[in-house]
Amino acid sequence: MKRLERWHMFFSIHQMKEKGLRISQIARKLNVSRNTVYKYLSMNPDEFKQFMEGMETRKKKFVFANIKLSHSEAV
């Protein structure tokens, strides 16, 4: 999911909750887990921005590349 899509989901979740929808209804409409809805509702925009910045600095691709390289060297 792209950064802009996550921001849109964040504000959509908050708007739906303000309109009175239950957590399960929001999750169903946005096709996400209830845990995601709870997590996004627990954050204000500044906290969500920090969360998003943290996601960008993940190193999973780098770790996967090293594992793949190590595996191909062994063969």
Side-chain angles (χ1 to χ4, degrees):
M1 183 177 292
K2 295 181 181 179
R3 182 182 179 130
L4 190 57
E5 291 171 344
R6 287 187 191 274
W7 274 106
H8 179 70
M9 186 182 342
F10 173 79
F11 287 113
S12 295
I13 288 171
H14 281 270
Q15 287 174 345
M16 289 180 190
K17 187 62 180 168
E18 286 177 13
K19 290 181 180 179
L21 274 73
R22 293 186 308 263
I23 301 297
S24 58
Q25 291 173 315
I26 296 169
R28 226 175 289 123
K29 282 184 181 277
L30 297 176
N31 198 28
V32 297
S33 72
R34 289 177 309 180
N35 288 340
T36 300
V37 176
Y38 281 117
K39 179 171 62 175
Y40 281 30
L41 285 173
S42 72
M43 293 185 248
N44 64 38
D46 290 332
E47 292 169 335
F48 187 71
K49 181 181 176 189
Q50 289 177 341
F51 168 74
M52 291 296 294
E53 289 169 356
M55 290 192 68
E56 290 177 1
T57 60
R58 288 180 145 178
K59 303 294 183 194
K60 282 188 176 181
K61 290 181 182 178
F62 181 73
V63 171
F64 179 75
N66 285 341
I67 293 170
K68 190 174 181 181
L69 179 61
S70 297
H71 178 68
S72 64
E73 289 175 353
V75 175

